[in-house]
Amino acid sequence: MCGIFGYINFLVDKTRGEIIDTLIDGLEKLEYRGYDSAGIAVDGDHKNDAAIIVKTPGKVENLKRKVNDEKVPRSTVFDNHVGIAHTRWATHGPATVINSHPHRSDPMGEFVIVHNGIISNYGVLRTFLLKKGFTFESDTDTEVIAKLFKHIYDSNLDEGLHPDLNQLTKLVLSELDGSYGLLVKSSHFPGEACGARKGSPLLVGVKTERKLKVDFVDVEYPETDTTSSTISNENFLLPPVSQQSESNLRTSQSRAFFSEDSIPMPIEFFFASDAASIIKHTKKVLYLQDDDIAHIFDGELHIHRATKKKNDESTTRTIETLEMELNQIMKGPYQHFMQKEIFEQTESTFNTMRGRVDFENHKITLGGLKSWLPTIRRCRRIIMIACGTSYHSCLATRSIFEELTDIPVSVELASDFLDRKSPVFRDDTIIFVSQSGETADSILALQYCLERGPLTIGVVNTVGSSISRQTHCGVHINAGPEIGVASTKAYTSQYIALVMVALSLSNDTISKVERHKEIIDGLQKIPQQIGQVLKLEDKIKQLCKNQLKDKKSLLLLGRGFQFATALEGALKIKEITYTHAEGVLAGELKHGVLALVDEQLPIIAFATRDSLFPNVMSAIEQVTARKGKPILVCNEGIEISKDKLMTTLEVPETVDCLQGLLNVIPVQLISYWLAVDRGINVDFPRNLAKSVTVT
């Protein structure tokens, strides 16, 4: 996964220095998406000059230094300019200067590209372009896109045809297989940019002093499809101008940017992979859909499609107003975003419930599901599909789903679900859970399911994301922006959202009324109880320094509702501290795992009061009998023999199905402080990125 940022100013004077600062600031907000390398491309001094490209391995701060070291001129003023930028999570080729984005079509940089995703047929395209005399500078799949732009452009020029940037982009995209969010700028089209997406997120921000005429942009469909020419016949040409429909030529004016006095409107546009990077500049955004092409020229935004309109396709894209604030994506008094997001869970869990839970009358209202509840109740099974932390939130709530709905529930890892080509039926209900809503494996699983006809539900944090748009209905978890990689807020908010779905599905069952009241009363107390658990931070800091800092492996034991907590805790420890950690079902301890236990192995056990508490304590007895000294996450007042010498982290008691919301907090803090003690930058763990948008 990578971060894309673009900035286009029209009739708004900006120095090159201001433009570079805007691009780099945008990359800093996107750095969680990839930090192997970073780069920018800005215009030269004159209209058709080659782009100035600066790129380097490492983080955005390295790019800042390189821009200064290369003394890129900053004083030149532009009233119309296109700048693009990229921060990379490596998929093809190591993190080197030549593999960093942006990539160029040729030494003169006629076309410059930034790209997020994977081009699966890049090998075939690369071979074709090599035969045409192109020389490649990098190991990446992205470079073939830049060179394909030049090849198709030159092929049309040789035949006396002059494609515009939008037409050219359609022809290039028709040759690509795989996923992409991309931006292209060209010295042949000064002041213009095209952005496109397929499977990777991309949005457009709009900033203007004047009010837009309408809050949407029309989608412009062609009269005939732009189909793949296939490189075998090498026909990359446009139809002659006489055969091109009027809609393919520049005759339309975008209604949103219509000027009644015929005087062009000063305006700024921002392309970004995530709204958090543009909130500093504007709150007006348009989310591109798969196969959209956004073409910006002459101060207007046009949305194009390469294929004719289908009956169910929308004819507009809404310009939305973001609700997030700038301070939500700043660290504030915290050392790292992860620490901030751990402590924000008192607010994020409340926000997930805000307006949806009537605590006084014990009612749940999920607007996105309301009209679909009768259909869901009639389904023969529920399948939850997710990856990573989202998968653990599904495991944590599976039991309460089955208890309340009397519908069998299975939980699937998206990649494994696809590998098995698991059977899906029309009377199934499939729940897709993803913080970003852009997780590649989950999207592929969703598309697989949609072909087979079941009802699909999305549980996501990101409005306008692929999963939220493609599912039939859903629930936004409202956790707020997550800048850190650890997804701490996402876990607890997804957990609560899924519990609310289970409650909604069973709210017509008289026999479940008392259980409903118990759970809803428990939900009301959760934010305040999380605040109590966070007071353990100082004790956990000392625990990490004194008992865990030099350990090479950890074991986490849980049972029932707490097995998911053990898995999620192990994942956090692995990804943030680079320490091997394993979540184990306490009932399986004697089936092999007990062989690992000795006085050196740190063990974290979840022993909070529920129906399985005696069984967990039995497992702990087995551990202590073999000289193990487990760290217990337990409820207040639990009695432990003094000769056991166990460290305890006491958390408040709540309803059994909600206890995992409190038990996971100490493990989040353990992973955080253990990493800090080891000198690890927890916001940028090696080899990882925020939401994996490549398969």
Side-chain angles (χ1 to χ4, degrees), residues 167-357:
Q167 293 170 320
L168 194 57
T169 301
K170 287 179 182 176
L171 289 171
V172 170
L173 296 183
S174 71
E175 300 300 327
L176 304 182
D177 294 334
S179 64
Y180 51 77
L182 65 84
L183 289 181
V184 58
K185 67 182 298 247
S186 172
S187 57
H188 297 298
F189 304 98
E192 296 187 37
C194 267
R197 68 155 285 171
K198 184 178 182 180
S200 294
L202 194 65
L203 59 87
V204 185
V206 181
K207 181 181 180 181
T208 178
E209 296 297 323
R210 292 163 63 174
K211 186 177 180 180
L212 298 176
K213 297 294 291 184
V214 291
D215 61 354
F216 58 85
V217 174
D218 295 301
V219 179
E220 301 175 37
Y221 291 89
E223 293 179 4
T224 58
D225 290 350
T226 304
T227 55
S228 172
S229 62
T230 71
I231 59 174
S232 58
N233 63 33
E234 302 184 19
N235 176 23
F236 296 106
L237 304 182
L238 290 167
V241 173
S242 61
Q243 296 178 22
Q244 294 180 34
S245 67
E246 186 174 316
S247 63
N248 282 333
L249 304 176
R250 287 193 187 178
T251 58
S252 63
Q253 184 174 17
S254 184
R255 278 193 283 171
F257 310 97
F258 181 76
S259 175
E260 293 179 344
D261 55 11
S262 299
I263 299 174
M265 181 191 307
I267 196 166
E268 298 165 83
F269 294 99
F270 304 83
F271 281 102
S273 300
D274 187 333
S277 61
I278 67 169
I279 189 66
K280 177 178 180 180
H281 307 285
T282 181
K283 290 189 176 184
K284 297 291 185 184
V285 300
L286 180 150
Y287 291 93
L288 297 182
Q289 296 186 14
D290 275 357
D291 300 316
D292 281 353
I293 298 171
H295 184 198
I296 292 175
F297 67 91
D298 294 343
E300 294 185 10
L301 167 64
H302 291 256
I303 304 296
H304 297 274
R305 304 282 287 186
T307 56
K308 291 188 295 183
K309 183 183 180 303
K310 298 179 178 66
N311 290 334
D312 59 345
E313 286 188 315
S314 172
T315 58
T316 61
R317 298 287 181 266
T318 304
I319 299 174
E320 302 178 17
T321 301
L322 294 174
E323 295 182 0
M324 71 173 74
E325 300 293 338
L326 183 61
N327 63 2
Q328 290 181 281
I329 59 169
M330 305 304 289
K331 287 180 191 171
Y334 301 98
Q335 294 181 48
H336 298 92
F337 281 114
M338 181 180 176
Q339 185 187 27
K340 175 178 185 278
E341 288 165 7
I342 290 171
F343 277 81
E344 280 181 345
Q345 288 174 102
T346 53
E347 298 173 23
S348 61
T349 51
F350 176 76
N351 289 336
T352 301
M353 297 182 278
R354 186 198 299 270
R356 295 166 164 177
V357 185

Side-chain angles (χ1 to χ4, degrees), residues 49 96 104 124 162 166 362 560 588 595 623 656:
D49 284 356
T96 61
R104 60 186 185 177
V124 176
H162 298 273
N166 163 53
H362 297 95
E588 293 297 297
V623 168
D656 54 0

Side-chain angles (χ1 to χ4, degrees), residues 60-94:
V60 176
E61 61 188 30
N62 294 5
L63 178 62
K64 275 185 180 178
R65 284 195 293 269
K66 189 164 184 181
V67 169
N68 292 332
D69 292 345
E70 293 194 1
K71 295 182 169 53
V72 177
R74 294 176 59 88
S75 59
T76 309
V77 177
F78 299 87
D79 67 351
N80 188 199
H81 178 281
V82 176
I84 60 177
H86 187 273
T87 180
R88 179 173 182 249
W89 185 64
T91 57
H92 291 74

